[in-house]
Amino acid sequence: MQTVQNHSTVTLEITGMHCASCAAFVEDALSQTQGVKRAAVNLASEKATVEFLPTMVNVHALTAAVENSGYGARELKHDTNRAAQAEATEERKRNEYDALKRRFTLAAVLAAVIMPLSMTMLVPSVEHWIHQAIGMQALNGMLLVLTLPVLLVSGREFYVSAYNAFLHRMANMDTLIAVGTGAAFAYSVVATLFPALFEQNGIRAEVYYDTTATIIALILLGKMLEARAKGQTSAAIKKLMNLQAKTARILVNEQEREVSIDAVKRGDVVVVRPGERIPTDGEIIEGASSVDESMLTGESLPVEKNVGASVFGGTVNKTGAFRFCATNVGAETALAHIVRLVEEAQGSKAPIQRLADKISSVFVPTVVVISLLTFVVWFNVMPAETRLPFALVNFVAVLIIACPCALGLATPTAIMVGTGKGAERGILIRNAESLEKAHQIGVVVVDKTGTLTQGEPSVTDFVMLNDTMTREDALQYAASLEHYSEHPLASAIVDYAEAEKVDAVFTVHDFLAVEGKGATGMVSGENVAIGNTKLMEQQKIIMDSEATSAAVKLLAEAKTTMYVAVKGAIVAVIGVADTVRETSLEAVQELQKRGIEVVMLTGDNRQTAEAIAAQVGIKRVFADVLPHDKANAVKQLQSEGKIVAMVGDGINDAPALAQADVGIAIGAGTDIAMEAASITLMRSDLLSVVSAIELSRRTMTNIKQNLFFAFVYNVLGIPLAAGLLFPFTGWLLSPMIAAAAMAMSSVSVLTNALRLKAVKL
Ligand code: ADP
Ligand code: MG
């Protein structure tokens, strides 16, 4: 359970769901519980994500609500035992699959016997012989006995589920199967036991045991294939969970001891040997190595790590040996966060699915009406001796072909494979809605510092303006003040002073960071201000011609300029260069190629911004934007009627990220606590943005194909099954073919969704 402000989110594992109606039913039960803000049930992952107010309802009440509606629920906890829980889930699914397989095998074997026995009726000489030998009724009785186990053992679950739904005054997809096969069976039983009832009216007492058995066998086969494929949709998250090491070697009294991962506490010293998987997050205290972090960030090159560097659980140590101090353990590690994020995203619901849900909710009752109409119409138009069996067969065919099983799987399976695929590439998608929205992005707004550029600015020029003080003093004032600032520009100045062997030792009072402008404070008793022209204006410091001309020169070189004012007069101008990332130009071009406009948004001055924009091919620039105005700039672009994505490092871009339709936080590395972003990119590389948008587009196309596959069978099948073409072409749909088509539809949806795994990003 995870608590954000006043509401909590919990992931529940739901058991016993068969179809989209079941999922809708569970979702309703959760949503209608007092204190639940939002509930989304995913049929493919068999999970529910519930947002609720802990003051009004607890997890226990939520699981109770699910159980009352006839299903099972269990909370998924996000601690180190996550892997064990996943193992338990796997085990349960394996058992379910095995049970399904046994049920199918029984049905298939019996159907294989029932079918040829029923066929004998079609061959007149054989029929005659049977008539002579044992009599028709005896044969039918034999078929009845053979079909009974198919119904009661193999098909039991359909009838139980349909009955439960009926108790709740609901109809689900099992209702269709239960009524369809039940009707065929009941008719056959009457025809077997009381053939006279039919023969009196001149109707042949036909039986449909083969239909009943075959439908159940085929539907079970479909479910089996479906369960197989469904398991593969969560392969990515399984892979992530398996990255978690089971044990760690920690130092206890200077002795190395192997302990279970659950026993590792914050502050423990962990020993890592070459080639080993790093067990938890921490900071290197001894030794050095290169570490393969590709499993978390998607970055294939190993990263060099020295004393003081952060390491992350799940990554692989390459060559060196080192010791590190554990910082985050259990549910707090970066890996655990990623798993949680991906799981929540996979459990969430895409807006496009609401449409599918709405359709499937009216589908079942509509189909029941159509099937009844089919029965009534044929019963009235056909000649007396064939009207009952004819009406019945078509009634059953409609019920079976119409079952919208695949409809419930179309969206969630694609979302699961898509988000999993993203996670493998260091693209973490918060929820299905973000994934869906990303394919409509028309404008990508990028922050300059840290996004287009390396974000590691370095001082290139420190220009003295007059001789009121020495260069060393000016630098010392600047570095002493900036020591207190967390801005990357401030660190650049501090680093520069260090390199020049100037110690920042002046005492500082009243340090003030002026957002988007600079910093001020009393340094060694003097008033010092460092920042841009806006800061100088605010501080009423006169910009003399000497300062201006020094700045103009730096600006022409696309450098960020800052003024250092001491005692109200500018003493120096600082030029800072930040290298443009190698991939920025390519990424901008790739986005533009896809018809997406790229806009730069920065707090830096216009000249510098324009110069960088020109280097990467960006035409529209918002410069001199104060951090709190960044969100307004996004709003302005939205008012132009486009879907806007904002890409930022999240440091001072959080409001803009939240305002954007799709907020993309870049360069999270392994610090992924990004609340404002809908997509978090582990790599600081604008090309990941292209990949994210590409992934979204592919996923949406896939969903649309799935919806097509789910619908095409139903839409084409229903009129055929109802016998609409019979008067013209003599075409009908056998209920057995209908069952095969239905199973095919689920299988084709899943196979198609799994194709997403192969997408190159
Ligand atoms: P960005 O949009 O590139 O992240 P910011 O909004 O953080 O930029 O800062 C905008 C401008 O304010 C910087 O380009 C710089 O001129 C000035 N500035 C901000 N903080 C400082 C600081 N600590 N020292 C000097 N200048 C600063
Ligand atoms: Mg910034």
Side-chain angles (χ1 to χ4, degrees):
M1 196 172 75
Q2 195 189 12
T3 307
V4 180
Q5 284 151 14
N6 54 1
H7 66 260
S8 304
T9 305
V10 67
T11 309
L12 301 177
E13 192 172 80
I14 310 289
T15 51
M17 294 192 295
H18 301 132
C19 60
S21 336
C22 298
F25 193 41
V26 173
E27 196 169 283
D28 276 348
L30 285 168
S31 305
Q32 282 158 17
T33 306
Q34 278 257 321
V36 170
K37 278 189 66 184
R38 200 161 37 177
V41 175
N42 183 322
L43 177 64
S45 64
E46 296 174 347
K47 277 174 195 149
T49 310
V50 191
E51 238 178 81
F52 62 98
L53 296 165
T55 45
M56 291 179 67
V57 68
N58 58 18
V59 176
H60 186 74
L62 295 177
T63 49
V66 176
E67 278 156 13
N68 279 337
S69 63
Y71 300 87
R74 192 166 63 94
E75 182 188 357
L76 281 179
K77 293 202 182 78
H78 289 281
D79 48 21
T80 23
N81 281 323
R82 194 60 199 79
Q85 289 183 45
E87 190 51 47
T89 306
E90 281 286 287
E91 171 89 35
R92 180 177 61 72
K93 290 205 173 147
R94 253 195 314 272
N95 290 341
E96 275 175 15
Y97 181 80
D98 290 344
L100 201 53
K101 198 169 162 184
R102 280 194 299 273
R103 287 165 53 204
F104 164 71
T105 313
L106 176 70
V109 168
L110 289 173
V113 179
I114 294 165
M115 273 281 242
L117 282 179
S118 311
M119 296 292 190
T120 56
M121 249 65 86
L122 300 178
V123 187
S125 57
V126 181
E127 192 201 345
H128 182 76
W129 177 79
I130 289 178
H131 227 97
Q132 299 288 309
I134 54 171
M136 212 56 201
Q137 204 172 6
L139 175 70
N140 285 347
M142 228 163 81
L143 291 174
L144 166 60
V145 171
L146 287 170
T147 309
L148 219 47
V150 180
L151 234 74
L152 298 183
V153 181
S154 297
R156 185 172 176 273
E157 210 168 278
F158 301 129
Y159 304 104
V160 171
S161 161
Y163 180 67
N164 276 338
F166 176 74
L167 288 184
H168 287 94
R169 294 170 181 278
M170 299 268 299
N172 61 23
M173 288 163 210
D174 291 334
T175 311
L176 301 180
I177 301 169
V179 173
T181 54
F185 184 72
Y187 179 90
S188 309
V189 171
V190 176
T192 305
L193 302 181
F194 314 105
L197 274 182
F198 293 85
E199 277 144 17
Q200 277 160 16
N201 297 309
I203 304 171
R204 269 189 62 156
E206 289 197 56
V207 293
Y208 296 98
Y209 296 115
D210 54 342
T211 306
T212 312
T214 312
I215 290 175
I216 291 176
L218 282 171
I219 291 174
L220 288 172
L221 175 66
K223 293 223 170 241
M224 235 171 78
L225 295 173
E226 188 182 304
R228 255 272 178 79
K230 240 157 69 175
Q232 287 174 38
T233 58
S234 51
I237 198 146
K238 267 181 236 153
K239 217 192 255 174
L240 276 174
M241 278 189 291
N242 285 335
L243 293 177
Q244 175 66 60
K246 304 255 182 309
T247 60
R249 209 170 307 106
I250 62 171
L251 275 192
V252 184
N253 303 325
E254 284 309 301
Q255 295 283 314
E256 283 183 25
R257 183 181 297 169
E258 181 137 346
V259 296
S260 145
I261 190 69
D262 302 313
V264 180
K265 288 182 295 297
R266 183 180 293 238
D268 280 348
V269 174
V270 184
V271 185
V272 183
R273 295 192 189 137
E276 278 184 345
R277 195 174 286 286
I278 298 174
T280 185
D281 294 0
E283 210 181 283
I284 297 187
I285 51 172
E286 196 188 312
S289 186
S290 70
V291 176
D292 178 0
E293 296 188 334
S294 60
M295 47 294 284
L296 292 194
T297 62
E299 173 66 69
S300 52
L301 288 179
V303 190
E304 295 301 322
K305 303 266 181 180
N306 292 304
V307 171
S310 300
V311 290
F312 301 96
T315 59
V316 173
N317 178 31
K318 304 286 269 190
T319 46
F322 60 87
R323 291 174 174 189
F324 74 90
C325 176
T327 51
N328 292 325
V329 296
E332 296 310 313
T333 62
L335 179 63
H337 272 119
I338 294 173
V339 168
R340 180 152 69 222
L341 208 69
V342 175
E343 234 167 13
E344 270 172 22
Q346 293 192 329
S348 67
K349 190 161 268 191
I352 192 171
Q353 197 189 335
R354 295 208 188 102
L355 176 72
D357 283 353
K358 212 174 269 167
I359 295 172
S360 51
S361 72
V362 293
F363 213 84
V364 174
T366 311
V367 163
V368 172
V369 171
I370 295 179
S371 60
L372 288 173
L373 272 177
T374 303
F375 186 90
V376 171
V377 170
W378 286 120
F379 190 79
N380 283 303
V381 302
M382 291 305 273
E385 64 276 14
T386 51
R387 65 186 191 178
L388 191 56
F390 195 90
L392 178 83
V393 168
N394 292 331
F395 165 77
V396 175
V398 171
L399 285 178
I400 302 299
I401 191 74
C403 188
C405 279
L407 202 56
L409 292 170
T411 316
T413 46
I415 294 284
M416 282 180 72
V417 180
T419 45
K421 178 82 193 175
E424 277 175 13
R425 312 291 304 166
I427 301 166
L428 300 178
I429 295 154
R430 176 160 294 264
N431 52 38
E433 190 173 346
S434 309
L435 185 62
E436 178 170 339
K437 252 197 197 148
H439 89 289
Q440 300 167 311
I441 291 170
V443 180
V444 171
V445 183
V446 286
D447 173 53
K448 175 178 75 73
T449 322
T451 304
L452 285 169
T453 66
Q454 296 278 357
E456 285 155 12
S458 62
V459 174
T460 52
D461 305 78
F462 193 90
V463 189
M464 291 300 296
L465 291 187
N466 47 43
D467 37 23
T468 49
M469 66 175 67
T470 62
R471 180 186 154 85
E472 196 172 45
D473 279 347
L475 192 49
Q476 193 155 9
Y477 275 117
S480 301
L481 182 67
E482 293 288 32
H483 212 86
Y484 287 81
S485 167
E486 285 172 352
H487 203 278
L489 288 170
S491 334
I493 294 171
V494 173
D495 290 349
Y496 180 73
E498 245 165 52
E500 298 277 296
K501 306 260 177 308
V502 173
D503 292 328
V505 290
F506 285 167
T507 56
V508 176
H509 293 290
D510 306 331
F511 172 84
L512 189 69
V514 189
E515 202 186 45
K517 293 177 182 168
T520 62
M522 298 296 289
V523 183
S524 184
E526 306 292 357
N527 231 325
V528 176
I530 310 176
N532 53 18
T533 44
K534 277 188 214 137
L535 185 74
M536 298 301 125
E537 263 164 43
Q538 185 203 38
Q539 300 284 313
K540 307 220 164 24
I541 294 163
I542 297 159
M543 194 75 71
D544 55 25
S545 59
E546 216 186 332
T548 314
S549 64
V552 164
K553 187 175 158 289
L554 295 172
L555 288 172
E557 296 166 18
K559 285 170 183 163
T560 299
T561 50
M562 286 165 290
Y563 305 89
V564 183
V566 181
K567 284 188 271 185
I570 298 178
V571 297
V573 180
I574 305 177
V576 169
D578 186 3
T579 32
V580 171
R581 286 181 200 281
E582 270 168 40
T583 52
S584 293
L585 173 65
E586 191 191 339
V588 170
Q589 284 172 343
E590 285 292 323
L591 289 171
Q592 287 167 343
K593 231 195 285 174
R594 287 169 171 75
I596 296 167
E597 187 187 2
V598 185
V599 176
M600 181 196 281
L601 183 59
T602 179
D604 211 345
N605 70 78
R606 179 150 290 276
Q607 281 108 314
T608 315
E610 298 266 4
I612 304 267
Q615 280 184 45
V616 297
I618 294 180
K619 296 193 184 64
R620 194 162 170 195
V621 178
F622 286 79
D624 295 307
V625 185
L626 293 176
H628 59 264
D629 281 335
K630 284 187 172 178
N632 285 332
V634 171
K635 225 184 256 175
Q636 188 189 324
L637 288 162
Q638 284 170 323
S639 70
E640 291 171 17
K642 296 237 175 91
I643 303 286
V644 178
M646 164 81 202
V647 189
D649 52 19
I651 295 167
N652 56 19
D653 309 322
L657 289 177
Q659 170 65 38
D661 298 296
V662 182
I664 304 177
I666 199 167
T670 18
D671 164 39
I672 56 148
M674 302 254 169
E675 281 297 322
S678 31
I679 298 179
T680 301
L681 304 174
M682 307 293 278
R683 268 186 298 168
S684 300
D685 181 343
L686 210 53
L687 279 173
S688 295
V689 175
V690 182
S691 304
I693 292 176
E694 197 56 35
L695 180 68
S696 163
R697 291 189 172 186
R698 299 295 190 94
T699 309
M700 290 313 294
T701 311
N702 196 276
I703 288 175
K704 285 172 193 157
Q705 291 164 345
N706 286 348
L707 288 173
F708 171 78
F709 281 129
F711 262 130
V712 71
Y713 295 89
N714 296 335
V715 170
L716 296 181
I718 293 174
L720 192 60
L724 225 54
L725 293 179
F726 183 72
F728 314 105
T729 59
W731 290 351
L732 283 175
L733 190 69
S734 142
M736 289 180 260
I737 303 289
M742 201 197 91
M744 270 303 296
S745 139
S746 295
V747 171
S748 42
V749 162
L750 275 153
T751 313
N752 190 51
L754 289 174
R755 279 194 323 126
L756 265 181
K757 275 190 179 178
V759 165
K760 291 219 165 44
L761 289 177

